[in-house]
């Protein structure tokens, strides 16, 4: 999972070091777009959930599927009360089941729409990144190949989404646990000839 | 147990620190007809001895499916048992609705125990007069719990409740150490044998017992909680009796093996 580390306040890029992907329990990662304070509230709910699950100490633990279902209920109920949590949530995880390792990736929207897919994106990512993922994703990618693919999407978003910043975080979840890598930047190129003298020949300019 | 001046209210302690009404409720469990439960690492089996009020009526239903992954067998006041089964079903459904996964059996047993405990601490309530054997499957394997009217519950490898259950318990005590590695078929046979012990002379047939099983096969697919149908039960009973008759002497002493693999010695 990857995201940039920016949080805007309207059109102002207010916070530039925000972690938008967090580990949940032993088996899952949650990433969010939208209203950051609502995301913090959701993290508190998940904290309560995972804590009481941990306190049972009975060998059972909440997997990504259970957390996805729980979040769907929460989001849908809030929408029905006309008081939504204004977020798009991405839930990913890996858990050992009776038939082996089960990988899970899904999303929940602010109105409670939810589904499971091999590639998920939020916001502009739905328009810019999903087409790339649909063309180039394969079931048997290595971690390094996946990072390269994700970076390709992040770069497109960086160029084209006005509210994105050049500081990204990658997060990985396996049966061993969650790893959230430190932030880093991608190399961008702005030296295209068309960007020089952009107003030349424009109507009203001289 | 004799009547005494501390046994009128459930909220009255005796000087020895006993709640007699709760203990009397546990006596009600002993009046019900027998139930046994046993489990291996992957499967759990419940069996009940059917008792009919008269020859004209149908027998009491004692084994209830609570969810796809769990069920109960009860002994005692069956009306109380029905109400508690409904509660267990609704707990499982509520959990599945929010989490889309089965409620772990230990958590189900705890909710049942907490509900029973409430009735031991309210002056306007009475304890539930039913003991439940809760059997189910979750990600940590197969489980068997016994919930009693006091609100206590324990996990068991094998257990028996109800009238003449001591005979079944004695039978199970001799064999339970191997149960973790038993196949589902072996578990069912032992459950039937345990029920047979409680019938004390009466012939075991598919019409006077009910057996249910839940578990996970070796390939990971789940076998949901289901009552085994009467025809199949009769087949198993018949095969058990055939195996018992063949080696006539070691049948009582050598209870270590399951008793089915000994071939009939026709050439003696």
């Amino acid at each position: 999972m990857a995201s940039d580390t920016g949080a805007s306040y309207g059109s102002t890029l207010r916070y530039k070091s925000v972690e938008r992907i967090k580990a949940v329990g032993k088996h899952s990662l949650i990433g969010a777009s939208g209203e950051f304070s609502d995301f913090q509230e959701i993290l508190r709910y998940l904290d309560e959930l995972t804590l009481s699950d941990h306190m049972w100490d009975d060998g059972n633990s909440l997997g990504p599927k259970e957390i996805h279902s729980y979040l769907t209920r929460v989001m849908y109920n809030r929408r029905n009360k006309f008081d939504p949590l204004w977020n798009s949530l991405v839930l990913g995880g890996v858990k050992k089941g009776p038939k082996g390792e089960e990988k899970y990736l899904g999303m929940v929207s602010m109105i409670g729409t939810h589904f499971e897919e091999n590639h998920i994106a939020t916001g502009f990512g739905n328009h810019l990144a999903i087409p790339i993922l649909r063309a180039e994703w394969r079931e048997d990618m290595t971690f390094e190949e996946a990072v390269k693919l994700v970076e390709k999407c992040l770069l497109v978003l960086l160029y084209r989404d006005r509210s994105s910043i050049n500081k990204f975080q990658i997060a990985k979840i396996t049966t061993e646990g969650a790893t959230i890598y430190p932030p880093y930047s991608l190399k961008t190129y702005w030296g295209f000839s068309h960007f020089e003298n952009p107003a030349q020949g424009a109507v009203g300019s001289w | 147990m004799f009547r005494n001046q501390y046994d009128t209210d459930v909220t009255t302690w005796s000087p020895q620190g006993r709640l007699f009404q709760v203990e009397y409720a546990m006596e009600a469990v002993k009046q019900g007809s027998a139930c046994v439960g046993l489990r291996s690492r992957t499967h759990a089996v419940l069996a009940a001895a059917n008792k009919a009020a008269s020859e004209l009526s149908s027998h009491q239903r004692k084994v209830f499916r609570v969810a796809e992954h769990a069920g109960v067998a009860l002994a005692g006041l069956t009306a109380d048992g029905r109400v508690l089964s409904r509660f267990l079903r609704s707990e499982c459904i509520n959990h599945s609705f929010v989490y889309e996964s089965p409620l772990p059996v230990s958590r189900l047993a705890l909710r049942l125990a907490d509900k029973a405990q409430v009735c031991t601490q309210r002056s306007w309530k009475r304890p539930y007069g039913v003991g439940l054997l809760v059997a189910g499957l979750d990600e940590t394997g197969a489980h068997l719990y016994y919930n009693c009217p006091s609100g206590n519950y324990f996990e068991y490898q094998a257990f028996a409740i109800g009238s003449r259950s001591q005979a079944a318990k004695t039978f199970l005590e001799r064999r339970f150490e191997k149960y973790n590695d038993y196949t589902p078929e072996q578990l069912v046979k032992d459950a039937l044998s345990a029920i047979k012990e409680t019938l004390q002379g009466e012939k075991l047939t598919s019409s006077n017992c009910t057996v249910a099983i839940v578990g996970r096969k070796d390939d990971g697919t789940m076998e949901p909680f289901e009552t085994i149908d009467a025809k199949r039960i009769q087949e198993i009973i018949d095969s058990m009796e055939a195996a018992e008759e063949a080696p006539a002497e070691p049948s009582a002493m050598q209870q270590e093996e399951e008793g089915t693999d000994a071939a009939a010695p026709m050439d003696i």
Side-chain angles (χ1 to χ4, degrees):
Chain A
M1 238 190 254
S3 72
D4 76 355
T5 61
S8 308
Y9 185 57
S11 56
T12 302
L13 252 169
R14 181 101 179 258
Y15 302 106
K16 298 194 194 167
S17 289
V18 163
E19 209 176 276
R20 296 200 284 123
I21 305 179
K22 296 277 185 191
V24 181
K26 291 186 278 226
H27 308 282
S28 320
L29 285 174
I30 181 171
S33 293
E35 172 56 53
F36 196 67
S37 61
D38 282 352
F39 179 49
Q40 289 170 325
E41 192 67 3
I42 289 170
L43 288 175
R44 261 193 350 105
Y45 291 152
L46 291 175
D47 237 355
E48 279 176 31
L49 235 200
T50 46
L51 184 68
S52 56
D53 190 48
H54 182 69
M55 286 195 340
W56 273 100
D57 200 22
D58 61 355
N60 292 293
S61 55
L62 290 170
K65 185 178 181 98
E66 285 85 34
I67 298 182
H68 187 216
S69 191
Y70 170 78
L71 288 172
T72 307
R73 293 293 116 228
V74 170
M75 300 299 265
Y76 185 64
N77 270 286
R78 290 290 295 259
R79 149 256 169 100
N80 282 342
K81 292 197 271 198
F82 276 87
D83 180 22
L85 289 161
W86 208 282
N87 292 112
S88 291
L89 303 169
V90 182
L91 215 298
V94 189
K95 191 164 176 216
K96 273 213 184 72
K99 299 192 191 161
E101 233 172 64
E102 282 160 26
K103 291 177 279 220
Y104 192 90
L105 181 65
M107 80 96 94
V108 190
S109 75
M110 66 186 261
I111 55 171
T113 309
H114 62 286
F115 54 87
E116 226 190 298
E117 236 318 342
N118 291 318
H119 18 73
I120 302 275
T122 63
F124 263 98
N126 280 307
H127 303 104
L128 301 174
I130 292 281
I132 300 175
L133 293 170
R134 281 183 182 161
E136 302 189 21
W137 176 86
R138 285 175 355 257
E139 177 96 49
D140 55 351
M141 292 174 91
T142 63
F143 177 61
E144 291 70 30
E145 289 173 332
V147 171
K148 283 231 151 26
L149 182 57
V150 144
E151 280 178 352
K152 191 167 175 181
C153 299
L154 291 174
L155 200 55
V156 171
L157 285 165
L158 177 60
Y159 281 129
R160 294 293 179 178
D161 182 359
R162 201 180 74 147
S163 59
S164 60
I165 61 169
N166 193 0
K167 194 171 165 198
F168 304 102
Q169 272 192 304
I170 305 262
K172 176 174 83 160
I173 178 99
T174 62
T175 37
E176 279 95 61
T179 321
I180 300 181
Y181 293 94
Y184 68 104
S185 298
L186 294 173
K187 270 188 81 158
T188 57
Y189 179 68
W190 299 95
F192 296 104
S193 58
H194 271 75
F195 291 172
E196 287 157 28
N197 283 326
Q200 191 178 65
V203 171
S205 68
W206 53 91
Chain B
M1 243 183 249
F2 296 110
R3 283 229 62 197
N4 52 69
Q5 42 180 275
Y6 308 107
D7 68 354
T8 312
D9 277 320
V10 73
T11 51
T12 305
W13 288 98
S14 82
Q16 289 80 30
R18 292 160 73 168
L19 288 169
F20 279 101
Q21 279 296 307
V22 175
E23 296 184 20
Y24 295 165
M26 283 154 73
E27 286 295 312
V29 177
K30 297 179 196 168
Q31 301 300 327
S33 64
C35 284
V36 314
L38 15 60
R39 68 161 175 97
S40 68
R41 246 183 286 269
T42 55
H43 284 78
V45 172
L46 291 172
N50 296 338
K51 190 166 70 174
S54 80
E55 270 182 37
L56 301 166
S57 74
S58 65
H59 62 79
Q60 282 277 25
R61 195 147 158 230
K62 289 162 67 72
V63 178
F64 291 90
R65 188 182 123 122
V66 156
E68 207 188 25
H69 69 292
V72 298
L74 44 98
L77 265 54
T78 1
D80 283 2
R82 208 176 50 240
V83 159
L84 288 179
S85 303
R86 191 182 308 137
F87 168 73
L88 291 172
R89 283 172 177 168
S90 109
E91 290 296 290
C92 286
I93 285 177
N94 288 341
H95 183 95
S96 291
F97 177 69
V98 177
Y99 299 101
E100 266 191 61
S101 82
L103 178 58
V105 193
S106 60
R107 303 184 192 195
L108 178 65
L110 181 96
R111 292 192 200 186
L112 181 60
D114 282 349
K115 191 168 164 73
Q117 191 278 340
V118 168
C119 297
T120 66
Q121 214 176 3
R122 305 279 186 271
S123 59
W124 62 91
K125 284 182 182 262
R126 64 156 177 83
Y128 287 106
V130 63
L132 293 109
L133 287 168
V134 182
L137 181 78
D138 58 34
E139 65 169 330
T140 50
H143 297 275
L144 174 70
Y145 287 89
Y146 172 52
N147 282 67
C148 71
S150 62
N152 268 333
Y153 73 108
F154 292 103
E155 185 163 10
Y156 287 92
Q157 186 79 48
F159 201 53
I161 57 176
S163 71
R164 296 195 283 253
S165 59
Q166 188 50 55
K169 271 190 258 191
T170 314
F171 172 82
L172 295 168
E173 273 165 21
R174 277 185 270 126
R175 301 164 73 93
F176 76 96
E177 273 156 338
K178 304 219 176 102
Y179 282 173
N180 260 335
D181 299 310
Y182 262 32
T183 66
E185 294 73 33
Q186 290 171 308
L187 284 176
V188 171
K189 288 197 172 124
D190 264 36
L192 285 166
S193 302
I195 289 286
K196 190 162 163 207
E197 299 287 320
T198 68
L199 293 174
Q200 237 142 52
E202 209 184 305
K203 191 163 154 62
L204 178 71
T205 68
S206 58
S207 57
N208 58 13
C209 68
T210 312
V211 185
I213 186 166
V214 62
R216 201 190 308 279
K217 295 205 276 253
D218 288 329
D219 62 2
T221 50
M222 191 174 110
E223 288 178 50
F225 187 92
E226 228 169 26
T227 309
I228 304 179
D229 76 25
K231 199 153 100 54
R232 178 92 193 97
I233 296 288
Q234 193 57 53
E235 283 169 19
I236 298 173
I237 293 174
D238 292 337
S239 80
M240 280 163 64
E241 281 169 3
E244 261 176 44
E245 276 154 30
E249 312 88 68
S251 62
M253 305 297 283
Q254 308 285 80
Q255 284 288 359
E256 298 309 303
E257 310 91 53
E258 311 84 67
T260 53
D261 35 280
M266 304 277 273
D267 52 344
I268 284 181

